[in-house]
Every structure is written in structure tokens, then in C-alpha cells.
């Protein structure tokens, strides 16, 4: 695909990437979106959150909601800078997959929807651009007050419809040893070695047993490990480890937390649990998933795959509040947060066509029958 539509999508995405929007710095991109989507001609409002920037809402009041977070992780992660460039079908840059590619796809879909619907269209959804998703999630927790019944939360799922989501528990662990001169290591107790030995015990926790057909195995990621010094010849007396535990959708997060606390205390480990994100699991035939699949069938003649999202997303607060929320969008989760984050414009094109079809399928202006978009029309 290299045509006008390719250029529209790629240019829009590059513009979005070039507006830095790490968590807490969302103001400029929110202003851009407020100006960029004025063509919709719908009411907008700002919703206060605990941070300095609030959510941006278009067309408030619909029971059907699109949720897209605008914040990103910093440009430099793990010591590597994420640079912006276009390489064939791929756009590289911070937020390309997570989730500015989805935002660009939606913008082009909205333009096509307005163009095909005529002057008397009615937008069948509310749209909320949330803040703080990469940190505390305050934007989503406030957006719950919009009281939607059905929600599509945009994240990189490779266009799978995710009706389930993994949860997580984050824990900071502190290990103490006995410092000594590094050449006389027998006289000390190495705190880093103690942490590494402890790490291998974690996999035996009961809540980490099992496997999910879409997510895979339960497990954990050692997010950071720090202690000692590469310059001073010493047996490290202190070490800090941060561990992120994956909770499969069937796991009760309260029971998992109980097991962790009991285990840490039994081992005499100093710890702090600073994040608990519940998983969720909806039926795969939930109506919002069917609506999304119907749009893909109408636009592309295909059925989308079902899946589960491996990370926490804005969907969890909505599900916890009783709404039906699915996670969906172009891009690969595996490249998000990396220095080589990227997304395929071809996949964005498919997402955009599906979204235009979704809007047409779920709108019925002036009493007309629902219309269905065809791939050849775009």
C-alpha cells in the first residue's frame, strides 16, 4: 500500500509522534487533538484528573465509548533513545504502537465516516483521550464516570479482539547481606547473590501455576536489580529488586497478593507492594466484540481473531465498574516501550477501515437504515 491513504496515515502518525507526551506532559497533544478533530462538530469537554492534565472528551453522553490514552513512556528507556523515522511500511517512534498509531487510525476513520455520512450524520460514540495510563491510570479511573455500557480500549493487539486481560502485582524487595572486602568474599554475605537465589523460589508460588490459551504461562519479570558497585571492590551488603508478576485472567488478585505477602514474610524479606492490577475475563461473544467483528466482516470480508491482552490497560476500570470493555488496535505490544518501537501503516490502514465501518454500522442518522462500508469504497 503506497497511495494517498498511506500518506494520510503516515503523516498523521508522524505529527503525533513529534508531539512529546510522556506521562504528566500530555497538554500539547491534547490541545492538538482538540483542534484537529474540530471537523466533527460535536461538543467537547475536559475532565479533571489527579494530575495537572485532564482527559479530553468528544461527544459526551453516548453509551458506546472509544478510549485512547495519549501519554507515552519517556523517549529514553533502558538507556536507549527511540528515534522517529519512516522505513518502508513501518513508522518508528515513541508511541507509534502505544498508542499513537491507533489515534492516527481513528482520526482518518473519522474523516472517512464524516465524508460518507453526509452533513446530517450523528456520531454514535463518545471518545475519551485519557492521561496517565503509563503511570497511575488516573485518566481511566476518572473516565469511568462517563458511565458507558460498552467500551473499546485501544492498545496494540495486532487487531485481535481481546475480551480478557492479564493483571499484575508489582513488588519492591530489599535484601541485606554482610559487606566485606571483595577479595575476601568468604567473610561477607552477598546481597545480590541472595536476591538471585530468592528469584528462583518465586516460580513455585501457587498463583503462578497454569496457562492461558492466548496469554501463555503465568510468571514474572524482574524489572530491575540494583546493588553493589562496579568500581569498588566490595561484597554488596544491599540489593533492591523490583518484580512484576503476571496474573492470568482466572486468578483472584486478592488471593495472589495474600500468597505473596505470606511468602515474603515467611522468608524474612523486606518488601513493598506498590501496584495491584486485577485481571478480567469476559465471554468472547460479548456484544461489543460482535459489533467490532461485524465491522471487520463488512469492511474487509474477514473475521478478526479473539485474544487476550497481556498488560493492564484502561479497560480494567471499566470492566470493574460493570461495563463491557474489549481491547483492540493495530501494533505489537512486544515492541512498545523499546527503542525500536514501530507500527505497520498497512495494519493501521486495516484498523482505520474497520473503525469507519464500525461507526457506519452503529449509526442511523435521520431514521435511515444502517449502512455498511465496503473495502472497495475506501
Amino acid at each position: 500500500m503506497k497511495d494517498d491513504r498511506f500518506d494520510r496515515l503516515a503523516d498523521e502518525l508522524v505529527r503525533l509522534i513529534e508531539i512529546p507526551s510522556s506521562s504528566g506532559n500530555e497538554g500539547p497533544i491534547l490541545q492538538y487533538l482538540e483542534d484537529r478533530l474540530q471537523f466533527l462538530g460535536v461538543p467537547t469537554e475536559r475532565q479533571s484528573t489527579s494530575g495537572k492534565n485532564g482527559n479530553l472528551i468528544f461527544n459526551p453522553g453516548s453509551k458506546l465509548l472509544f478510549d485512547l490514552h495519549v501519554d507515552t513512556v519517556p523517549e529514553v528507556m533502558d538507556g536507549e533513545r527511540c528515534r522517529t523515522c519512516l522505513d518502508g511500511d513501518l513508522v518508528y517512534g515513541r508511541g507509534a504502537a502505544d498508542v499513537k498509531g491507533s489515534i492516527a487510525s481513528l482520526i482518518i476513520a473519522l474523516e472517512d465516516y464524516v465524508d460518507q455520512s453526509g452533513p446530517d450524520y450523528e456520531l454514535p460514540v463518545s471518545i475519551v483521550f485519557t492521561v496517565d495510563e503509563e503511570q497511575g491510570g488516573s485518566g481511566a479511573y476518572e473516565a469511568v464516570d462517563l458511565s458507558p455500557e460498552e467500551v473499546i480500549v485501544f492498545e496494540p493487539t495486532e487487531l485481535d479482539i481481546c475480551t480478557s486481560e492479564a493483571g499484575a502485582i508489582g513488588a519492591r524487595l530489599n535484601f541485606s547481606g554482610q559487606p566485606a572486602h571483595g577479595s575476601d568474599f568468604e567473610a561477607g554475605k552477598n546481597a545480590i547473590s541472595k536476591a538471585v537465589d530468592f528469584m528462583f523460589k518465586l516460580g513455585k508460588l501457587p498463583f503462578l501455576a497454569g496457562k492461558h490459551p492466548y496469554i501463555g504461562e503465568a510468571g514474572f519479570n524482574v524489572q530491575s536489580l540494583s546493588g553493589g558497585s562496579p568500581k569498588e571492590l566490595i561484597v554488596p551488603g544491599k540489593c533492591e529488586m523490583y518484580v512484576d508478576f503476571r496474573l492470568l485472567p482466572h486468578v483472584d488478585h486478592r488471593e495472589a497478593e495474600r500468597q505473596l505477602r505470606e511468602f515474603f514474610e515467611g522468608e524474612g524479606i523486606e518488601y513493598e507492594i506498590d501496584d495491584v492490577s486485577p485481571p478480567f475475563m469476559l465471554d468472547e461473544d460479548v456484544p461489543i466484540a460482535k459489533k467490532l467483528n461485524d465491522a471487520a466482516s463488512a469492511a474487509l470480508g474477514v473475521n478478526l481473531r479473539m485474544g487476550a491482552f497481556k498488560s493492564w490497560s484502561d479497560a480494567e476500570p471499566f470492566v470493574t465498574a460493570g461495563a463491557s470493555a474489549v481491547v483492540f488496535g493495530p501494533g505489537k505490544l512486544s515492541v512498545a516501550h523499546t527503542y525500536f518501537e514501530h507500527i505497520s501503516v498497512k495494519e493501521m490502514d486495516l484498523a482505520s477501515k474497520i473503525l469507519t465501518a464500525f461507526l457506519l454500522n452503529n449509526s442511523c442518522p435521520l431514521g435511515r437504515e444502517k449502512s455498511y462500508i465496503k473495502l472497495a469504497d475506501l
Side-chain angles (χ1 to χ4, degrees):
M1 182 191 70
K2 190 69 173 71
D3 53 22
D4 176 67
R5 190 173 180 81
F6 179 101
D7 292 336
R8 290 170 66 199
L9 287 161
D11 290 348
E12 186 64 53
L13 176 54
V14 171
R15 279 195 296 271
L16 291 167
I17 291 173
E18 289 178 342
I19 304 173
S21 59
S22 57
S23 301
N25 187 38
E26 300 98 340
I29 196 167
L30 289 170
Q31 187 60 58
Y32 171 79
L33 291 169
E34 188 167 13
D35 296 337
R36 178 70 174 86
L37 294 175
Q38 284 302 306
F39 69 86
L40 291 174
V42 297
T44 64
E45 65 180 48
R46 294 293 184 111
Q47 183 183 40
S48 297
T49 66
S50 60
K52 66 178 181 179
N53 298 301
N55 297 332
L56 173 61
I57 306 164
F58 284 83
N59 197 40
S62 174
K63 293 301 181 183
L64 184 58
L65 178 69
F66 286 172
D67 173 297
L68 307 95
H69 72 86
V70 299
D71 63 316
T72 69
V73 296
E75 277 192 32
V76 178
M77 293 282 285
D78 199 26
E80 297 279 357
R81 179 174 297 276
C82 185
R83 302 188 184 279
T84 303
C85 69
L86 177 63
D87 183 8
D89 172 54
L90 302 179
V91 177
Y92 287 78
R94 177 59 71 225
D98 189 17
V99 295
K100 292 182 177 181
S102 288
I103 296 175
S105 299
L106 177 60
I107 290 172
I108 302 306
L110 288 166
E111 287 183 335
D112 290 343
Y113 170 70
V114 171
D115 181 61
Q116 295 194 35
S117 297
D120 297 320
Y121 77 91
E122 293 181 9
L123 191 63
V125 299
S126 297
I127 303 170
V128 60
F129 294 102
T130 62
V131 299
D132 191 43
E133 190 272 347
E134 299 290 359
Q135 292 295 319
S138 62
Y141 289 109
E142 292 297 332
V144 167
D145 289 344
L146 299 174
S147 301
E149 295 177 358
E150 297 179 312
V151 187
I152 297 176
V153 172
F154 289 81
E155 290 285 357
T157 71
E158 301 179 67
L159 302 184
D160 290 353
I161 302 174
C162 297
T163 57
S164 298
E165 179 175 285
I169 297 179
R172 182 172 286 103
L173 310 176
N174 291 297
F175 298 86
S176 297
Q178 176 60 51
H181 190 283
S183 295
D184 190 12
F185 50 81
E186 295 91 346
K189 294 182 180 179
N190 192 308
I192 295 177
S193 297
K194 185 177 178 181
V196 172
D197 290 342
F198 182 78
M199 180 178 67
F200 289 100
K201 298 180 181 180
L202 293 176
K204 298 178 181 179
L205 289 163
F207 78 87
L208 292 178
K211 190 173 182 179
H212 187 273
Y214 298 132
I215 293 175
E217 296 182 352
F220 59 89
N221 174 47
V222 178
Q223 193 166 307
S224 68
L225 182 68
S226 60
S229 170
K231 295 183 178 180
E232 283 75 37
L233 187 57
I234 189 172
V235 174
K238 295 181 180 179
C239 178
E240 180 180 281
M241 177 190 294
Y242 191 91
V243 186
D244 181 62
F245 295 89
R246 174 193 288 171
L247 307 184
L248 295 182
H250 67 275
V251 171
D252 185 325
H253 65 283
R254 292 158 296 194
E255 170 59 19
E257 182 179 355
R258 186 198 67 77
Q259 289 181 24
L260 277 176
R261 291 185 182 277
E262 183 179 273
F263 181 65
F264 294 156
E265 290 164 10
E267 292 285 330
I269 302 299
E270 180 185 336
Y271 72 94
E272 176 189 1
I273 292 178
D274 67 355
D275 177 57
V276 180
S277 302
F280 70 80
M281 181 166 52
L282 304 180
D283 292 336
E284 290 190 356
D285 60 356
V286 66
I288 185 62
K290 184 178 186 305
K291 291 177 184 179
L292 197 49
N293 216 348
D294 285 348
S297 179
L300 309 174
V302 299
N303 287 320
L304 298 176
R305 297 175 304 186
M306 305 304 294
F309 197 55
K310 292 185 176 183
S311 179
W312 184 91
S313 77
D314 281 359
E316 181 270 314
F318 290 108
V319 172
T320 298
S324 295
V326 297
V327 186
F328 169 80
K332 295 181 178 181
L333 178 63
S334 61
V335 303
H337 298 195
T338 68
Y339 70 89
F340 51 86
E341 182 173 356
H342 62 272
I343 194 169
S344 160
V345 180
K346 180 178 180 180
E347 192 172 318
M348 289 171 58
D349 182 51
L350 297 177
S352 186
K353 290 172 179 175
I354 291 168
L355 293 174
T356 301
F358 182 94
L359 293 167
L360 288 168
N361 289 3
N362 290 280
S363 66
C364 195
L366 300 181
R368 292 185 297 157
E369 292 296 320
K370 291 181 180 178
S371 56
Y372 290 86
I373 194 168
K374 300 297 183 184
L375 178 59
D377 297 331
L378 292 174

